[in-house]
Amino acid sequence: MIKQMERTSQAVTIILCACMIVKAFEMEITPANRIVAQIGETVMLTCNTTGCASPSFSWRIQTDNPLGGTVSNHGTYSTLTMSPVSVENAHDYLCTVFCGTEKKEKSVKVELYSFPSDPVIEISTSLVAGEQATVICKIPDVYPSDHLEVLLKKEEHILLEKNFFEDDSTNTETKTVTYSFNPTTEDIGKDITCVAKLLIANMEFEPKERVTSQKLNANFGPKNTIITASPSNSAMEGDFLKLTCVTESNPPPQIVWRRQVADKSVQYLVENSVLSIPHAHFTDSGLYICEVINLVTNKTEKATVDIVIQAPPKNTTLSVFPSNAVKQGESVAFSCTSTGVPAVQITLRKKIGDVITTLETQGGKYTIGRVQLKDAGTYECVSINELGEESQHIVLDVKVPPQNITVLVHPSENVKEGENVTITCSTYSNPPSQMVLKKVHPEREIILSSVNGTFTLYNVTKNDTGRYLLDVFNEVGNNIKVIEIAVVGRLEKTDQMMAVIIAFSCVTAIAIPVVAILIYVSRKAKINGSYSLVKALRLKV
Ligand SMILES: *[C@@H]1O[C@H](CO)[C@@H](O)[C@H](O)[C@H]1NC(C)=O
Ligand SMILES: *[C@@H]1O[C@H](CO)[C@@H](O)[C@H](O)[C@H]1NC(C)=O
Ligand SMILES: *[C@@H]1O[C@H](CO)[C@@H](O)[C@H](O)[C@H]1NC(C)=O
Ligand SMILES: *[C@@H]1O[C@H](CO)[C@@H](O)[C@H](O)[C@H]1NC(C)=O
Ligand SMILES: *[C@@H]1O[C@H](CO)[C@@H](O)[C@H](O)[C@H]1NC(C)=O
Ligand SMILES: *[C@@H]1O[C@H](CO)[C@@H](O)[C@H](O)[C@H]1NC(C)=O
Ligand SMILES: *[C@@H]1O[C@H](CO)[C@@H](O)[C@H](O)[C@H]1NC(C)=O
Ligand SMILES: *[C@@H]1O[C@H](CO)[C@@H](O)[C@H](O)[C@H]1NC(C)=O
């Protein structure tokens, strides 16, 4: 029995050797038996022969379906190319070769999958803390989906596990898992991970697991918006005022500053969380509004702060209408304005010499209906608040035309040649009056002028007899007095003793003008022998 088997084995060996020698007709198919390919790739099957000069090839699918590929014959081998390979190509491909009448055939199984890319995580755009959010994980173009398992995790905590084992998978499909939850502010920054596994036994491909992570970014706010003021909301003038708008918001909000001023209009200021006023001025006082807008949550919140910039009295102005020099009897109005925070108190005082009188004002205004000389003096406006005081003064001048004129002729209106006659004139005026004495003369008018009183004329003759008009005037008015002088006989004395001196002394109540020059001039005029009072006047005082 054993011997028989040995013999048979020897015979087979001989036959094999014979075949080798004649190069027996053989065929092979690559890849052999089985190929695992991803849908969309290019798959090429090769049917190769040896030991046949001109083999003829044919490819087919056992089910007699279309090949779904391109056959290309190259003498001793033939290829079947499927580009791209699709789900219809999942078959056993049979290659049949004839070498003459000799036929050989082999098959290869094409197995397909599709798992081309990582999962895609989509988080509902309006992810807001406290509001329901949805996380979607998409696994694109999976085949066969009935082997797909998906895991959704927040950090290491599993949110959701899902498989698609019940799927009736016929082609590539995009699979989606959805998870809804209420995010909290603590969730910000945590990873959401989607793990997709396509586990098919006996099918070799990589990767079989794909993972995608995304950070959770919960949007919230704005909330708890407040304004902080530095150094404080009642800062002093000149301080560096810094207003900061503090809010809780994700993403960071858009901030708009406004200021509401007294007339209710609104000013747009910087778009920043900090509003800086390097040198605060009391006009910077007002209601400041910080408006924060979260562009994702579409929520708005406002905070306000009332800022008062404190300042001592400033810009104190005392004005007088129509002017600070008025004519007696006119009306005069004083007005005092001043600013400061806290509000200032305004006082108007009148100072005449050492006498100070506080006047009753109405909102800083004070009016004198008919002004008198006694109203002339210094007026002071004082503005006071807790932080200080400021004052302004003005001098009121009341102009009075000459009045209450008294003329005294000494020794009398009837004088002798050589006698000294003094005319004393007193008046009350402001500014001081000037005086002109005119002698009424039929041919020419002789004019003499005098201020402060004394006009001396030496050696008057009878020609000085006559009517004199004493004109007392200042810029606001005049007053005329008539004096009759009669030079009658001659004084029985020495020449010098007989000199007649007419001295005018007119003293005004307010002013003390100078007349010395006139006296001198007149004397000079007389010494020159020409009774030229006109000339004396021309020299003017
Ligand atoms: C066919 O097989 C021969 C021998 O094994 C080899 O040398 C040749 O490269 C093969 N041709 C193709 C196209 O695979
Ligand atoms: C935001 O709110 C305003 C008014 O409430 C609305 O008109 C607008 O459409 C909202 N925008 C978004 C993106 O929700
Ligand atoms: C001071 O007051 C006057 C009158 O009220 C005003 O016109 C002026 O602008 C003020 N000046 C300042 C610096 O406030
Ligand atoms: C001027 O005269 C009037 C009366 O004629 C008198 O009441 C008044 O006090 C006088 N004024 C002065 C300043 O003397
Ligand atoms: C007085 O006036 C007359 C005529 O104008 C003149 O002739 C005479 O000399 C004068 N007398 C004196 C003293 O000036
Ligand atoms: C005054 O006048 C008379 C004559 O006109 C003359 O004689 C006399 O010297 C004069 N006296 C003086 C002081 O001028
Ligand atoms: C008149 O005045 C002059 C000058 O002041 C003086 O010299 C003379 O003595 C006076 N004459 C009389 C009578 O007083
Ligand atoms: C003017 O008169 C006053 C007194 O009425 C006197 O004190 C003053 O000295 C006089 N001035 C001159 C220049 O004479």
Coordinates of all heavy atoms in Angstrom, one line a residue, residues 28 30 46-50 76-79, ligand 1:
E28 N -3.3 34.0 -13.4 CA -3.5 34.5 -12.1 C -4.2 35.8 -12.1 O -4.1 36.6 -13.1 CB -2.1 34.6 -11.3 CG -1.2 35.6 -11.8 CD 0.0 35.8 -10.9 OE1 0.2 35.1 -10.0 OE2 0.8 36.8 -11.2
T30 N -4.8 39.5 -9.9 CA -4.3 40.3 -8.8 C -5.3 41.5 -8.7 O -5.7 42.1 -9.7 CB -2.9 40.9 -9.0 OG1 -2.8 41.4 -10.3 CG2 -1.9 39.8 -8.8
T46 N -6.2 42.9 -12.3 CA -5.4 42.4 -13.5 C -5.5 40.9 -13.6 O -5.3 40.2 -12.6 CB -3.9 42.8 -13.2 OG1 -3.9 44.2 -13.0 CG2 -3.0 42.5 -14.4
C47 N -5.7 40.5 -14.8 CA -5.7 39.0 -15.1 C -4.5 38.7 -16.0 O -4.4 39.3 -17.1 CB -7.0 38.8 -15.9 SG -7.5 37.0 -15.9
N48 N -3.5 38.0 -15.4 CA -2.2 37.8 -16.1 C -2.0 36.3 -16.4 O -2.4 35.4 -15.7 CB -1.1 38.3 -15.1 CG 0.2 38.4 -15.7 OD1 0.4 38.3 -16.9 ND2 1.3 38.7 -14.9
T49 N -1.4 36.1 -17.6 CA -1.2 34.7 -18.0 C 0.3 34.5 -18.3 O 1.0 35.4 -18.5 CB -2.0 34.4 -19.3 OG1 -1.4 35.3 -20.3 CG2 -3.4 34.6 -19.1
T50 N 0.6 33.2 -18.2 CA 2.0 32.8 -18.6 C 1.8 31.5 -19.4 O 0.8 30.8 -19.2 CB 2.9 32.5 -17.4 OG1 2.2 31.6 -16.5 CG2 3.3 33.8 -16.8
T76 N -0.6 39.4 -23.0 CA -0.7 38.3 -22.0 C -1.4 38.7 -20.8 O -1.6 37.9 -19.9 CB 0.8 37.9 -21.6 OG1 1.4 39.1 -21.1 CG2 1.6 37.4 -22.8
Y77 N -1.9 39.9 -20.7 CA -2.7 40.2 -19.5 C -3.8 41.2 -19.8 O -3.8 41.9 -20.9 CB -1.9 40.8 -18.3 CG -1.3 42.1 -18.5 CD1 -1.9 43.2 -18.0 CD2 0.0 42.3 -19.2 CE1 -1.4 44.5 -18.2 CE2 0.5 43.5 -19.4 CZ -0.2 44.6 -18.9 OH 0.4 45.9 -19.1
S78 N -4.8 41.3 -19.0 CA -5.9 42.1 -19.2 C -6.3 42.8 -17.9 O -6.1 42.3 -16.8 CB -7.1 41.3 -19.7 OG -8.3 42.1 -19.7
T79 N -6.7 44.1 -18.0 CA -7.1 44.8 -16.8 C -8.5 45.2 -16.8 O -9.1 45.5 -17.9 CB -6.2 46.1 -16.6 OG1 -6.4 46.9 -17.7 CG2 -4.7 45.7 -16.4
Ligands
LIG1 C1 2.5 38.6 -15.4 O1 3.3 37.6 -14.7 C2 4.7 37.5 -15.1 C3 5.3 36.3 -14.4 O2 4.8 36.1 -13.1 C4 5.3 38.8 -14.6 O3 6.6 38.9 -14.9 C5 4.5 40.0 -15.2 O4 5.0 41.3 -14.7 C6 3.1 40.0 -14.9 N1 2.4 41.1 -15.6 C7 1.5 41.9 -15.0 C8 0.9 42.9 -15.8 O5 1.2 41.8 -13.8

